[in-house]
C-alpha cells in the first residue's frame, strides 16, 4: 500500500499524479479544505497535526508533494521505521522556516487549460488560513532527528521554483542516511517532466 499526500491547493487531479503507475493499493489522501473534504477546523495547518493524520494510513510506501512531503518528514522523524520506501517531491521546508507565501503567488504559478486554471483558483480560495499559519513553521525542529531513518528516501527537487527552493531539496536528501537527490532543471517539473517522474517513482518503489 502506498500513501500519497498532496501539496497545498492541489486539485483532485493533481493529487493523483504521483500515484499513477504505482503497483498495489494507492491511498490518495485528501486534506481538509481540498476537493470534497470539509473545510479545515481552526488551527489545523500544523505539520505535526497533518503528520498525525497521515499516520493513520497503514501504508508500506509513501509519496509526499510539497506540504505532504513536509508532513511525511515530520512523521518519519517521530517513527523512523514507519515506511519501507518514501519519495518526497518538491519539499518546501525542512528545519528552517520558509518565506511567507500568499495565495496570489500560488495562483500566479497556475498554468494550463482555462478550466483547470479556474478549478485551481477555486481550490485556493479555501486556504486563506493555511497561507497564514504555515509560514514560520518547519517540517522538523532539528534535521538531525532524521539520522535514525534507515528507509531509502528519494527526493525530487526543482531548479528555479521560488516556492520549492533547490537548497531545501538538497538539505532534505542529505538529512537521510539513505537519501537520494534528483534535481530537475525546470521550475515546474510536475508539468514538464511528468512522464520521467512517473518512471522514476515506479522504478524506485520497485526497489
Amino acid at each position: 500500500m502506498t500513501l500519497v499526500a498532496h501539496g497545498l491547493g492541489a486539485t483532485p487531479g493533481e493529487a493523483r499524479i504521483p500515484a499513477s503507475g504505482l503497483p498495489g493499493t494507492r491511498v490518495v489522501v485528501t486534506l481538509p479544505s481540498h476537493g470534497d473534504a470539509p473545510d479545515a477546523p481552526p488551527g489545523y495547518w500544523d505539520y505535526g497535526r497533518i503528520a498525525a493524520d497521515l499516520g493513520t494510513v497503514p501504508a508500506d510506501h509513501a509519496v509526499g508533494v510539497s506540504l505532504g512531503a513536509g508532513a511525511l518528514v515530520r512523521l518519519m522523524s517521530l517513527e523512523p521505521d514507519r515506511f519501507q520506501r518514501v519519495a518526497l517531491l518538491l519539499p518546501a521546508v525542512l528545519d528552517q522556516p520558509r518565506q511567507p507565501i500568499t495565495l496570489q503567488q500560488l495562483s500566479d504559478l497556475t498554468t494550463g487549460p482555462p478550466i483547470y486554471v479556474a478549478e485551481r483558483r477555486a481550490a485556493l480560495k479555501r486556504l486563506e488560513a493555511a497561507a497564514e499559519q504555515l509560514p514560520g513553521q518547519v517540517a522538523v525542529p532539528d534535521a538531525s532527528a532524521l539520522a535514525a531513518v534507515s528507509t531509502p528516501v528519494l527526493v525530487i527537487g526543482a531548479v528555479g521554483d521560488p516556492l520549492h527552493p533547490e537548497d531545501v531539496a538538497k538539505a532534505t536528501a542529505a538529512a537521510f542516511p539513505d537519501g537520494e537527490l534528483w534535481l530537475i532543471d525546470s521550475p515546474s517539473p510536475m508539468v514538464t517532466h511528468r512522464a520521467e517522474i512517473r518512471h522514476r517513482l515506479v522504478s524506485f518503489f520497485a526497489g
Side-chain angles (χ1 to χ4, degrees), residues 62-100:
V63 182
V65 181
S66 191
L67 174 65
L72 284 177
V73 168
R74 174 68 66 89
L75 181 56
M76 286 189 287
S77 74
L78 300 173
E79 301 181 41
D81 302 321
R82 178 60 184 259
F83 301 109
Q84 296 174 8
R85 284 179 175 264
V86 175
L88 304 171
L89 282 61
L90 307 180
V93 65
L94 182 60
D95 58 355
Q96 299 295 320
R98 67 181 299 168
Q99 295 295 316

Side-chain angles (χ1 to χ4, degrees), residues 127-148:
L127 295 167
E128 291 182 1
E132 293 174 357
Q133 295 168 26
L134 287 171
Q137 294 190 39
V138 294
V140 286
D142 185 350
S144 66
L146 302 174

Side-chain angles (χ1 to χ4, degrees), residues 51-179:
D53 280 351
L54 298 182
T56 64
V57 181
D60 308 295
H61 297 158
V63 182
V65 181
S66 191
L67 174 65
L72 284 177
V73 168
R74 174 68 66 89
L75 181 56
M76 286 189 287
S77 74
L78 300 173
E79 301 181 41
D81 302 321
R82 178 60 184 259
F83 301 109
Q84 296 174 8
R85 284 179 175 264
V86 175
L88 304 171
L89 282 61
L90 307 180
V93 65
L94 182 60
D95 58 355
Q96 299 295 320
R98 67 181 299 168
Q99 295 295 316
I101 58 173
T102 66
L103 296 183
Q104 187 61 48
Q105 283 177 290
L106 294 172
S107 181
D108 289 345
L109 294 174
T110 302
T111 60
I115 292 177
Y116 165 73
V117 172
E119 182 183 21
R120 170 81 161 167
R121 288 180 175 164
L124 291 173
K125 289 181 180 179
R126 303 174 64 193
L127 295 167
E128 291 182 1
E132 293 174 357
Q133 295 168 26
L134 287 171
Q137 294 190 39
V138 294
V140 286
D142 185 350
S144 66
L146 302 174
V149 180
S150 60
T151 302
V153 177
L154 172 63
V155 179
I156 300 178
V159 175
D161 180 348
L163 297 181
H164 306 96
E166 61 182 277
D167 288 347
V168 174
K170 292 175 180 177
T172 300
F176 292 99
D178 196 3

Side-chain angles (χ1 to χ4, degrees), residues 165-189:
E166 61 182 277
D167 288 347
V168 174
K170 292 175 180 177
T172 300
F176 292 99
D178 196 3
E180 176 186 357
L181 175 66
W182 179 27
L183 270 181
I184 300 176
D185 191 11
S186 168
S188 52

